[in-house]
Amino acid sequence: MILTVTLNTALDITYRVPGLRPHASHRVTEVAERPGGKGLNVARVLAALGHPVTVTGFAGGSTGATVRASLAGVPGVVDALVPVAGATRRTVAVVDERTGDTTQLNEPGPVVAPAEWNAFQEAYEGLLAGAAAVALCGSLPPGVPVGAYAGLVRAARAAGVPVLLDTSGEPLRRGVAARPDLIKPNADELAELTGSHEPLRATQAARRRGARSVVASLGSAGLLAETPEGRWRAAPPAQVRGNPSGAGDSAVAGLLSGLVEHLPWPDRLARAVALSAATVLSPVAGEFDRAAYEELLGRGVAVTAEADAA
């Protein structure tokens, strides 16, 4: 199975409105609720691809209960979330149907007590024994040490489990130093980590900081990969418009599924780009338009080798 870790789980709420205007009242045309947080989005996509997934992290309060009840209805996903006293956060996405743009509102998450953090670490180390790969995803809730991901990366490496890290800021900087197998920052996160705004130089710098491989998400321009086996760019044949929430998480699912299936890097990247674009076309995060995914994968993700930065 693949293990995904979401320390700051959420209940994702998506509102669709005819047009979003500041300082105005809006009539919502559609509302959807889903279990959220980056790792849970990754898990749902992996399950849809046919991979058994176990999810762990924290869940608490009535919102956490709603998240867990929803997960129980997702085939292929096993719930191993650790209970906390605080309430799981909510995230709200407001989709402007006129422009396709999305406005995101993210709550901070519950305060995690030291005993709860210790209970999670014990559960995590037990779950690693049955994992083919692990993804560490998203922000840290209040109370969790800023170096948490570094410790979780080291535990995975000690267990011989490939580990992907998808976070930002100081947790990413410390996590990279623990030598994860793969990181997947976006362009801003990569620039913050390395100090370079040139993507190719920045991916090379991130590898020097400790990551074995780096796949940078460049928005509509697709992905840039810096790996021991080579460097590639992968992009969709045309820009897609829609709800970008969860597109990066779907790319992570594509990379992880390709890893456990032992696909060559170009095929992993093509899958990740196709899933990401197909997720933009889906109304909510953690889902993708399967017909669009299969069409993109079959006809048009361009993957090209990349030369060294000058």
Side-chain angles (χ1 to χ4, degrees), residues 50 52 57 72 79 84 122 154 161 166 171 174 197 200 204 214 231:
D79 173 4
V84 291
E122 183 177 347
R154 286 191 289 267
V161 179
D166 185 14
R174 297 198 187 193
H197 290 272
L200 183 54
Q204 292 172 337
V214 181
R231 305 173 187 88

Side-chain angles (χ1 to χ4, degrees), residues 16-29:
R16 301 185 71 87
V17 298
L20 184 62
R21 303 182 309 280
H23 316 298
S25 178
H26 296 78
R27 186 174 297 277
V28 175
T29 59

Side-chain angles (χ1 to χ4, degrees), residues 170-250:
E170 186 66 11
L172 175 59
R173 189 184 70 80
R174 297 198 187 193
V176 166
R179 299 188 170 276
D181 294 271
L182 174 61
I183 62 171
K184 195 216 67 66
N186 62 32
D188 291 339
E189 292 162 351
L190 186 62
E192 183 182 7
L193 173 67
T194 65
S196 174
H197 290 272
E198 199 292 310
L200 183 54
R201 289 191 180 91
T203 54
Q204 292 172 337
R207 282 201 68 211
R208 289 193 294 270
R209 288 173 179 264
R212 176 173 172 81
S213 298
V214 181
V215 176
S217 177
L218 306 178
S220 61
L223 301 175
L224 171 64
E226 170 78 16
T227 82
E229 290 78 22
R231 305 173 187 88
W232 294 272
R233 288 184 187 264
Q239 185 175 354
V240 294
R241 295 189 64 84
N243 180 8
S245 301
D249 305 330
S250 290

Side-chain angles (χ1 to χ4, degrees), residues 135-157:
L136 308 174
C137 302
S139 62
L140 301 178
V144 172
V146 70
Y149 282 135
L152 299 182
V153 168
R154 286 191 289 267
R157 287 177 55 81

